[in-house]
Amino acid sequence: MGSTWGRRAAAALTTAVAVPLLLAPSASAGYKVCAGGQLPGGRTTTVGVLADQVISIKVHNHDWRGLALTIRDVKWKKTLWKGVVAPGKDKKVRTDVFGEPPIGYKIAFDVTSNLSNNYTYAISSARCY
């Protein structure tokens, strides 16, 4: 009797743990990096990508000083974010466009900080074309 109860309890526990994991969406489910690289200080870097309807943009400050930055969507003439990224930290923003993929994005990174070139970016989406 104890053996049957133990097996039932183990099966119920396994099911109780597995079902939420299968049904819960993953934060990075299927996101791929479409473009990425170095951001030079004191310059504007413009990047064009063909991607799905939603893109995620991540900038990382590898330097020990703050990074003054503006992220703009050039095609739609929209500022996505403007501010300072703390040393060793990331800034993540998302944007989307309604339409049939592939969608052409043109993102500009205006780096005001000119003391370092120790900054990187990555643009991710569910699909890159």
Side-chain angles (χ1 to χ4, degrees):
M1 236 169 139
S3 170
T4 303
W5 181 85
R7 279 183 279 182
R8 286 184 187 165
L13 181 61
T14 303
T15 303
V17 170
V19 170
L21 290 175
L22 292 173
L23 297 178
S26 174
S28 63
Y31 264 62
K32 302 172 190 124
V33 175
C34 300
Q38 191 84 16
L39 288 175
R43 287 197 199 147
T44 297
T45 303
T46 305
V47 180
V49 295
L50 288 174
D52 211 6
Q53 293 175 327
V54 178
I55 62 169
S56 175
I57 303 164
K58 175 181 160 186
V59 174
H60 184 78
N61 181 2
H62 300 275
D63 200 28
W64 55 273
R65 296 169 285 224
L67 161 62
L69 173 72
T70 302
I71 302 172
R72 297 181 295 117
D73 187 328
V74 176
K75 186 174 180 179
W76 302 105
K77 298 179 178 137
K78 182 168 86 172
T79 298
L80 301 175
W81 184 79
K82 183 176 185 173
V84 176
V85 181
K89 299 294 181 179
D90 295 330
K91 177 61 188 172
K92 297 176 187 173
V93 294
R94 292 177 60 142
T95 187
D96 60 350
V97 175
F98 182 73
E100 192 67 31
I103 294 172
Y105 291 92
K106 199 169 222 182
I107 305 298
F109 301 93
D110 300 323
V111 180
T112 307
S113 304
N114 62 1
L115 298 174
S116 174
N117 290 327
N118 209 5
Y119 320 119
T120 56
Y121 75 93
I123 301 174
S124 305
S125 185
R127 281 183 274 166
C128 305
Y129 298 93

